[in-house]
Amino acid sequence: MKKALLKKLNFLIPVLILIGFYACKPARQSYTSPKGYDLSHPEKFIMPESLQEISGIAFYKGKSDTVYSIQDEDGRLFKQAWGIKKQQHTVFGKKGDYEDLAILNETVIILRSDGTLYTFPFSEATKAKANQIKVWDDILPDGEYESIYADQQTNQLYLPCKNCKQDKKDKTMSGSIFTYNPAKKELIASGTFSMDLRALIDKGQILKTGLKASALTKDPHSGDWYILSSVNKLLVVASPDWKVKSVHRLNTATFVQPEGLAFDKEMNLYISNEGDELNSGNILKFKFKP
């Protein structure tokens, strides 16, 4: 009887150990993608050392043959042919924490983290140093800003706040809208917007401190907003009126520090990643598949 019991125990103990091991093992993380894209299979463009800390990307009229970018230390606008590391740059300002850029028709607009904007004609992007630079400060509520989107049809700029005190209290992501008058080279305050984050916070999909937007762009066909959060490692898709439609967790193996976001005119999606001690900065291209 004892021998039979010992035999059963000798069989059961390893089984119980295996069951316990797999029960304690973290569930495999699942990653999803927005409709039309596969975020697990990018085409990767490795950045040169000068763009190790790439913080924003943009295209001129959606033409993806040339990438315009900035990094978060030097006041330089970089210009590269897609897939070729060699770059040219145009100096537009002193050292600073530059976070994003937009090309609004024939005007380059660059965002500093404190909400200061730099504007200059796109034609200056071929020069070693840009002229006709205009600096806009104290036009945004106090806070930290990392993303800007320029609407080519309406001449409007959208600037969501990354860190604003009221947003944390209200569980929202607020932002400001400006209209750019190219003839007078003026920025005109044109309202605000807000996205309700309560459901995302309650479900534990984002931090209690908020979404922390690091890049913003718009699907040119549907009008849906694409909001990138490097802190939360998320890509959020929202309707034109800022209602959350889908949330996509990003694989940290692919998205080391996602900071830039853009569509080209073929509807391909691009996400840039700042590098670290082990990884070079890069731009990932995700081809649109209807």
Side-chain angles (χ1 to χ4, degrees), residues 157-262:
L157 303 178
Y158 293 80
L159 293 126
C161 188
K162 179 185 178 183
N163 281 317
C164 282
K165 288 183 180 179
Q166 196 62 37
D167 281 349
K168 184 178 179 181
K169 180 181 178 181
D170 296 342
K171 296 183 179 180
T172 59
M173 181 193 76
S174 66
S176 301
I177 305 170
F178 291 86
T179 302
Y180 184 70
N181 184 325
K184 296 183 178 181
K185 297 182 180 179
E186 290 181 344
L187 277 175
I188 304 162
S190 304
T192 60
F193 61 89
S194 180
M195 189 165 77
D196 189 344
L197 302 177
R198 285 175 295 179
L200 298 185
I201 293 172
D202 292 345
K203 292 177 183 177
Q205 292 178 298
I206 64 173
L207 300 171
K208 289 183 179 180
T209 50
L211 183 58
K212 310 291 186 186
S214 54
L216 172 73
T217 192
K218 182 188 280 189
D219 181 322
H221 286 180
S222 68
D224 286 343
W225 294 104
Y226 279 53
I227 306 121
L228 190 64
S229 173
S230 185
V231 172
N232 287 284
K233 288 296 187 291
L234 289 180
L235 177 63
V236 177
V237 180
S239 63
D241 59 350
W242 301 98
K243 301 291 192 301
V244 176
K245 295 178 69 174
S246 61
V247 179
H248 308 280
R249 190 159 298 281
L250 302 175
N251 189 336
T252 55
T254 303
F255 302 92
V256 177
Q257 190 172 332
E259 299 279 353
L261 187 64

Side-chain angles (χ1 to χ4, degrees), residues 112 114-118 134-141 178 187:
R112 202 168 66 189
D114 61 358
T116 299
L117 296 177
Y118 295 74
K134 193 164 184 179
V135 181
W136 307 81
D137 50 19
D138 298 325
I139 64 171
L140 290 167
F178 291 86
L187 277 175

